[in-house]
C-alpha cells in the first residue's frame, strides 16, 4: 500500500474504503526517513562549525535510523515506491555527502586539491552504490547465503569516519596524516562499488538456545557505546574491515 498518492494522481485508500484519508501508521516509515535525513544534514552544520563530536554522533544516529525505516515499512505493510526513492536520496545525503564534507573539514583542509578530489571519489562511489542497489532491487538475490554486493552506503559512511573516530578517541590524530586520510576515503569508496560479497543481516542465523547470549552481547555493546563511543566505533570499524578481508580471501579461494 502506497503511503502517498499513486502515479495517476489518485488519493490513497486507507483500507476502509475512504480514499480521502490515510492511516498515520502508513506515514511512519517516511517520517523516520526524514528524521534520519535531518540528522545527516545537521551533522554537516556542526562539522562546519567545528563541533566534531556532535557531528559524528548525528551521523551514527542517521545510520541507526536508516535501519529502522525499511523494517517499519515491511512490518506495517507501508512500503511504497515513494518511500524507496526517499530513502535512497536520504542515504546519499547522510552517507555520501555528509561524511565527505565532514572528513574534508576535519582533516583535509591542508590538502585542498588532492584531498577534495579523493573525497569526491568517496561521495560519487556512494552515489553509484545506491544507484546499483536501486536498479537491482527487484532482481533475483545472488546465489548462496544472503549477502550484499559491495559495502552498503551506511557501512561505508561509518568506515569513512574511522579517521575521525581515531582522533576523537585520542588514539591517532588524523589531521596529522591528511594524505593517508584522503587515500583511505578513496579506498572506502572502492569498497562500496566493488563486487565484494559483504555480510547481510538477512543471512544471519543463530540457534534458539543461544539467542540469550546474543541479547546479552548487544546489551553489553550498547553499554560500551554509551560510555566509550569513539573507542567502540573504532573497534567496530576495524572488526568490519577484518570481516571484509576474510570475505575477500574466502571468495578468492572459492574461485581458485
Amino acid at each position: 500500500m502506497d503511503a502517498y498518492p499513486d502515479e495517476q494522481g489518485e488519493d490513497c485508500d486507507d483500507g476502509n474504503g475512504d480514499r480521502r484519508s490515510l492511516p498515520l501508521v502508513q506515514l511512519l516509515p517516511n517520517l523516520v526517513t526524514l528524521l534520519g535525513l535531518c540528522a545527516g544534514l545537521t551533522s554537516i552544520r556542526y562539522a562546519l562549525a567545528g563541533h566534531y563530536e556532535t557531528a559524528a554522533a548525528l551521523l551514527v544516529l542517521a545510520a541507526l535510523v536508516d535501519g529502522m525505516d525499511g523494517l517499519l515499512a515491511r512490518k506495517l505493510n507501508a512500503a511504497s515506491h515513494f518511500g524507496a526513492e526517499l530513502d535512497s536520496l536520504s542515504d546519499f545525503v547522510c552517507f555520501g555527502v555528509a561524511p565527505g564534507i565532514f572528513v574534508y573539514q576535519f582533516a583535509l583542509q591542508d590538502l585542498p586539491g588532492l584531498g577534495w578530489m579523493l573525497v569526491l571519489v568517496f561521495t560519487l562511489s556512494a552515489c553509484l552504490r545506491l544507484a546499483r542497489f536501486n536498479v537491482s532491487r527487484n532482481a533475483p538475490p545472488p546465489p548462496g547465503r544472503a549477502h550484499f554486493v559491495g559495502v552498503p552506503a551506511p557501512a561505508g559512511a561509518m568506515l569513512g569516519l574511522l579517521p575521525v573516530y581515531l582522533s576523537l578517541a585520542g588514539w591517532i590524530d588524523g589531521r596529522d596524516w591528511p594524505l593517508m586520510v584522503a587515500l583511505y576515503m578513496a579506498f572506502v569508496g572502492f569498497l562500496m562499488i566493488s563486487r565484494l560479497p559483504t555480510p547481510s543481516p538477512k543471512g544471519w542465523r543463530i540457534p534458539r538456545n543461544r539467542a540469550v547470549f546474543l541479547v546479552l552481547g548487544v546489551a553489553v555493546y550498547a553499554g560500551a557505546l554509551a560510555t566509550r563511543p569513539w573507542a567502540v566505533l573504532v573497534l567496530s570499524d576495524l572488526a568490519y574491515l577484518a570481516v571484509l578481508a576474510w570475505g575477500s580471501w574466502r571468495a578468492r579461494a572459492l574461485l581458485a
Side-chain angles (χ1 to χ4, degrees):
M1 183 183 296
D2 204 328
Y4 278 79
D6 63 22
E7 295 176 358
Q8 285 73 41
E10 297 178 355
D11 293 333
C12 295
D13 193 340
D14 63 2
N16 297 316
D18 185 359
R19 300 182 66 85
R20 296 171 298 177
S21 62
L22 182 70
L24 182 60
V25 294
Q26 296 288 310
L27 290 174
L28 280 178
N30 295 330
L31 294 176
V32 171
T33 299
L34 291 175
L35 175 64
L37 178 58
C38 289
L41 289 170
T42 306
S43 76
I44 297 176
R45 177 204 166 195
Y46 278 102
L48 294 176
H51 301 299
Y52 299 122
E53 290 193 3
T54 303
L58 284 168
L59 284 180
V60 174
L61 174 62
L64 294 175
V65 168
D66 181 69
M68 294 171 55
D69 54 6
L71 180 63
L72 278 174
R74 291 188 293 271
K75 294 297 183 181
L76 297 175
N77 192 27
S80 67
H81 293 298
F82 179 91
E85 296 304 321
L86 178 64
D87 182 66
S88 183
L89 290 171
S90 174
D91 285 354
F92 175 57
V93 172
C94 294
F95 309 127
V97 176
I101 293 176
F102 187 176
V103 173
Y104 180 82
Q105 177 72 15
F106 180 79
L108 301 180
Q109 293 191 73
D110 292 336
L111 197 68
L114 181 61
W116 182 248
M117 183 181 70
L118 295 180
V119 163
L120 287 179
V121 170
F122 171 87
T123 301
L124 294 178
S125 296
C127 180
L128 294 173
R129 173 64 176 81
L130 291 165
R132 184 176 70 189
F133 175 80
N134 288 345
V135 298
S136 63
R137 185 181 293 132
N138 297 320
R145 179 178 294 182
H147 62 272
F148 295 119
V149 178
V151 171
M158 296 301 100
L159 288 178
L161 291 176
L162 177 59
V164 178
Y165 298 152
L166 284 166
S167 301
L168 295 178
W171 293 1
I172 300 174
D173 194 341
R175 290 167 288 196
D176 294 335
W177 306 86
L179 180 59
M180 296 299 296
V181 171
L183 292 173
Y184 173 75
M185 291 294 287
F187 170 70
V188 174
F190 168 76
L191 290 178
M192 286 192 282
I193 61 174
S194 70
R195 306 298 298 182
L196 179 68
T198 58
S200 168
K202 295 180 180 179
W204 298 349
R205 295 291 184 272
I206 184 170
R208 290 182 181 273
N209 60 351
R210 297 183 182 177
V212 64
F213 299 108
L214 176 63
V215 173
L216 289 174
V218 170
V220 171
Y221 181 85
L225 187 62
T227 55
R228 297 290 301 275
W230 313 123
V232 171
L233 288 170
V234 167
L235 295 176
S236 299
D237 274 356
L238 294 177
Y240 188 62
L241 287 171
V243 170
L244 294 180
W246 177 80
S248 176
W249 175 84
R250 187 168 180 268
R252 288 176 176 271
L254 291 174
L255 292 174

